[in-house]
Amino acid sequence: MPVIEVNGAQVHVEDTGAPAGHPDAPAIVFGHGLLFSGRMFAAQVERLRDRYRCVTIDWRGQGRSPAARDGYDMDTLAGDAVAVIEGLRAGPVHYVGLSMGGFVGMRLGARRPELLRSLTLLDTSAGPEDPDKVTKYRTLAKVYRVLGLGPVRAQVEPIMFGPTFLASPAAKQHTDAWMAGVRAARRTGVTKAIHGVTDREPILPELGRITTPTLVVVGDEDVATPLAKAEVIADAIAGARLEVVAGSGHSSTIEQPDRLGELIETFVDQH
């Protein structure tokens, strides 16, 4: 699938195209979380592609998108998402964003509402990174930049995944695939992406401008962006609905793929 030139960067996009017999089917655009790629939505794309056009974006320097010189801040990534939506002539779209992808989605909702049919925000936050976590994440980023993810895997894994999932038989296959994906990306790009998250500006003051129908979802075991952060988002967006997923950590689309697929499908069907 194509690598699209957007705003001075190359962004890898996977586009299922319109499903057979449904040439005018709406598009669902998926934005992934930090240290992942659009592949974290594989189960949901498989579920929805027969009825919707499904588009996944790999943010700069992650997944199959090559490292860019700069532009890893959330405002620039939101601009990349706009360029992809407009370049594919896909709008208005249903947008689904997890964590980092949610940071982007809230900016789209507040600033480019005409591009959206609905907004689904998974395991994300509208504020800046917690000060007590910034130092830890920056330290982990320094070690990763020099030595790779292996030496800090034991520290990063419980942030990315919940304990219920990590104790399950399915976990190793998925966590090994996650590690392989991180190893395949250039460390320079991923490190800049980490800093883009740790140093992000809050979007909370703009959430009152969002009028797009919004679903907020959080895992009850998410330690990176816990329930309280989801509640802040749901309270700030008029009419937003909040769903809590039992037994799920930060990477809910991987940990609870069927439940997330059901929630997303029901919501986009309604809008």
Side-chain angles (χ1 to χ4, degrees):
M1 297 300 292
V3 171
I4 300 177
E5 297 279 348
V6 295
N7 305 319
Q10 294 181 318
V11 174
H12 188 278
V13 172
E14 286 200 357
D15 181 359
T16 64
H22 301 279
D24 298 322
I28 306 175
V29 174
F30 296 87
H32 66 85
L34 180 66
L35 301 183
F36 285 92
S37 72
R39 290 172 178 161
M40 78 179 312
F41 299 103
Q44 293 76 41
V45 169
E46 188 61 29
R47 178 182 183 128
L48 294 162
R49 63 183 299 161
D50 289 340
R51 298 176 54 235
Y52 292 93
R53 178 184 182 185
C54 294
V55 177
T56 59
I57 303 172
D58 288 357
W59 304 123
R60 299 178 180 217
Q62 297 184 84
R64 290 146 290 179
S65 292
R69 184 186 300 273
D70 53 22
Y72 292 84
D73 61 284
M74 298 306 112
D75 288 352
T76 302
L77 296 187
D80 290 351
V82 169
V84 168
I85 293 168
E86 293 181 335
L88 294 178
R89 299 183 181 179
V93 305
H94 300 282
Y95 181 88
V96 179
L98 190 150
S99 191
M100 189 177 193
F103 306 155
V104 171
M106 285 179 273
R107 285 162 171 79
L108 296 179
R111 301 170 187 175
R112 296 298 304 270
E114 76 280 4
L115 294 179
L116 302 183
R117 295 174 185 265
S118 73
L119 178 62
T120 299
L121 304 170
L122 311 175
D123 300 287
T124 193
S125 168
E129 191 57 71
D130 293 338
D132 61 326
K133 293 178 180 176
V134 169
T135 300
K136 177 181 179 180
Y137 292 168
R138 286 177 177 168
T139 299
L140 291 173
K142 287 180 182 178
V143 175
Y144 161 75
R145 177 68 179 85
V146 176
L147 300 174
L149 195 59
V152 293
R153 176 174 180 169
Q155 294 171 269
V156 176
E157 217 168 61
I159 300 171
M160 296 290 105
F161 304 96
T164 297
F165 176 75
L166 289 175
S168 72
K172 189 174 188 305
Q173 173 189 351
H174 289 287
T175 57
D176 285 352
W178 163 66
M179 282 287 293
V182 176
R183 288 193 183 106
R186 289 187 62 185
R187 293 183 197 172
T188 52
V190 174
T191 301
K192 290 176 180 178
I194 295 171
H195 291 157
V197 167
T198 60
D199 301 343
R200 69 184 183 274
E201 295 293 327
I203 189 65
L204 181 59
E206 298 183 46
L207 295 193
R209 293 161 48 186
I210 296 179
T211 58
T212 301
T214 301
L215 172 66
V216 182
V217 182
V218 64
D220 67 350
E221 298 178 355
D222 187 344
V223 297
T225 53
L227 174 60
K229 295 186 181 297
E231 291 174 332
V232 168
I233 297 170
D235 288 344
I237 300 175
R241 192 175 101 218
L242 175 63
E243 293 281 351
V244 181
V245 179
S248 182
H250 190 58
S251 304
S252 54
T253 59
I254 296 171
E255 299 178 52
Q256 296 283 351
D258 292 337
R259 179 60 178 145
L260 267 292
E262 176 188 18
L263 286 170
I264 294 167
E265 183 174 25
T266 299
F267 191 66
V268 298
D269 282 351
Q270 291 171 347
H271 302 286

PDB file of all heavy atoms in Angstrom, residues 41 53 71 105 116 168 175 178 243:
ATOM      1  N   PHE A  41      -4.785  -2.413  14.860  1.00  0.00           N
ATOM      2  CA  PHE A  41      -6.219  -2.457  14.575  1.00  0.00           C
ATOM      3  C   PHE A  41      -6.574  -3.600  13.611  1.00  0.00           C
ATOM      4  O   PHE A  41      -7.661  -3.598  13.034  1.00  0.00           O
ATOM      5  CB  PHE A  41      -6.674  -1.129  13.973  1.00  0.00           C
ATOM      6  CG  PHE A  41      -6.478   0.057  14.871  1.00  0.00           C
ATOM      7  CD1 PHE A  41      -5.425   0.935  14.651  1.00  0.00           C
ATOM      8  CD2 PHE A  41      -7.332   0.289  15.927  1.00  0.00           C
ATOM      9  CE1 PHE A  41      -5.232   2.028  15.477  1.00  0.00           C
ATOM     10  CE2 PHE A  41      -7.152   1.382  16.763  1.00  0.00           C
ATOM     11  CZ  PHE A  41      -6.095   2.264  16.546  1.00  0.00           C
ATOM     12  N   ARG A  53     -14.894   1.240   4.301  1.00  0.00           N
ATOM     13  CA  ARG A  53     -13.529   1.445   3.813  1.00  0.00           C
ATOM     14  C   ARG A  53     -12.655   1.699   5.036  1.00  0.00           C
ATOM     15  O   ARG A  53     -12.919   2.622   5.815  1.00  0.00           O
ATOM     16  CB  ARG A  53     -13.497   2.648   2.869  1.00  0.00           C
ATOM     17  CG  ARG A  53     -12.118   2.989   2.338  1.00  0.00           C
ATOM     18  CD  ARG A  53     -12.196   4.262   1.501  1.00  0.00           C
ATOM     19  NE  ARG A  53     -10.912   4.610   0.920  1.00  0.00           N
ATOM     20  CZ  ARG A  53     -10.685   5.729   0.215  1.00  0.00           C
ATOM     21  NH1 ARG A  53     -11.680   6.590   0.007  1.00  0.00           N
ATOM     22  NH2 ARG A  53      -9.486   5.957  -0.285  1.00  0.00           N
ATOM     23  N   GLY A  71       8.637  17.313  13.162  1.00  0.00           N
ATOM     24  CA  GLY A  71       7.194  17.238  13.016  1.00  0.00           C
ATOM     25  C   GLY A  71       6.533  16.120  13.801  1.00  0.00           C
ATOM     26  O   GLY A  71       5.492  15.593  13.386  1.00  0.00           O
ATOM     27  N   GLY A 105      -6.944  12.621  17.272  1.00  0.00           N
ATOM     28  CA  GLY A 105      -8.378  12.667  17.035  1.00  0.00           C
ATOM     29  C   GLY A 105      -9.067  13.831  17.708  1.00  0.00           C
ATOM     30  O   GLY A 105      -9.966  14.457  17.120  1.00  0.00           O
ATOM     31  N   LEU A 116     -15.182  14.820   9.928  1.00  0.00           N
ATOM     32  CA  LEU A 116     -15.560  13.687  10.770  1.00  0.00           C
ATOM     33  C   LEU A 116     -17.052  13.407  10.759  1.00  0.00           C
ATOM     34  O   LEU A 116     -17.876  14.322  10.772  1.00  0.00           O
ATOM     35  CB  LEU A 116     -15.127  13.947  12.218  1.00  0.00           C
ATOM     36  CG  LEU A 116     -13.644  14.205  12.482  1.00  0.00           C
ATOM     37  CD1 LEU A 116     -13.405  14.366  13.963  1.00  0.00           C
ATOM     38  CD2 LEU A 116     -12.773  13.099  11.907  1.00  0.00           C
ATOM     39  N   SER A 168      -2.258 -14.158  30.061  1.00  0.00           N
ATOM     40  CA  SER A 168      -3.020 -15.053  29.196  1.00  0.00           C
ATOM     41  C   SER A 168      -2.101 -15.808  28.237  1.00  0.00           C
ATOM     42  O   SER A 168      -1.004 -15.353  27.909  1.00  0.00           O
ATOM     43  CB  SER A 168      -4.049 -14.257  28.397  1.00  0.00           C
ATOM     44  OG  SER A 168      -3.408 -13.485  27.388  1.00  0.00           O
ATOM     45  N   THR A 175       2.963  -9.874  22.167  1.00  0.00           N
ATOM     46  CA  THR A 175       4.048  -9.020  22.661  1.00  0.00           C
ATOM     47  C   THR A 175       5.320  -9.226  21.855  1.00  0.00           C
ATOM     48  O   THR A 175       6.087  -8.280  21.637  1.00  0.00           O
ATOM     49  CB  THR A 175       4.306  -9.254  24.159  1.00  0.00           C
ATOM     50  OG1 THR A 175       4.592 -10.640  24.388  1.00  0.00           O
ATOM     51  CG2 THR A 175       3.094  -8.838  24.984  1.00  0.00           C
ATOM     52  N   TRP A 178       4.807  -7.233  18.775  1.00  0.00           N
ATOM     53  CA  TRP A 178       5.005  -5.817  19.115  1.00  0.00           C
ATOM     54  C   TRP A 178       6.497  -5.489  19.171  1.00  0.00           C
ATOM     55  O   TRP A 178       6.946  -4.490  18.595  1.00  0.00           O
ATOM     56  CB  TRP A 178       4.337  -5.544  20.461  1.00  0.00           C
ATOM     57  CG  TRP A 178       4.763  -4.286  21.146  1.00  0.00           C
ATOM     58  CD1 TRP A 178       4.545  -3.008  20.715  1.00  0.00           C
ATOM     59  CD2 TRP A 178       5.473  -4.185  22.379  1.00  0.00           C
ATOM     60  NE1 TRP A 178       5.083  -2.115  21.618  1.00  0.00           N
ATOM     61  CE2 TRP A 178       5.661  -2.823  22.652  1.00  0.00           C
ATOM     62  CE3 TRP A 178       5.952  -5.123  23.295  1.00  0.00           C
ATOM     63  CZ2 TRP A 178       6.317  -2.373  23.794  1.00  0.00           C
ATOM     64  CZ3 TRP A 178       6.603  -4.678  24.430  1.00  0.00           C
ATOM     65  CH2 TRP A 178       6.779  -3.316  24.662  1.00  0.00           C
ATOM     66  N   GLU A 243     -17.261   4.215  27.893  1.00  0.00           N
ATOM     67  CA  GLU A 243     -17.329   2.772  28.083  1.00  0.00           C
ATOM     68  C   GLU A 243     -16.027   2.297  28.740  1.00  0.00           C
ATOM     69  O   GLU A 243     -14.933   2.677  28.309  1.00  0.00           O
ATOM     70  CB  GLU A 243     -17.505   2.038  26.754  1.00  0.00           C
ATOM     71  CG  GLU A 243     -18.836   2.274  26.074  1.00  0.00           C
ATOM     72  CD  GLU A 243     -19.968   1.448  26.672  1.00  0.00           C
ATOM     73  OE1 GLU A 243     -19.677   0.556  27.509  1.00  0.00           O
ATOM     74  OE2 GLU A 243     -21.130   1.691  26.303  1.00  0.00           O
TER      75      GLU A 243
END
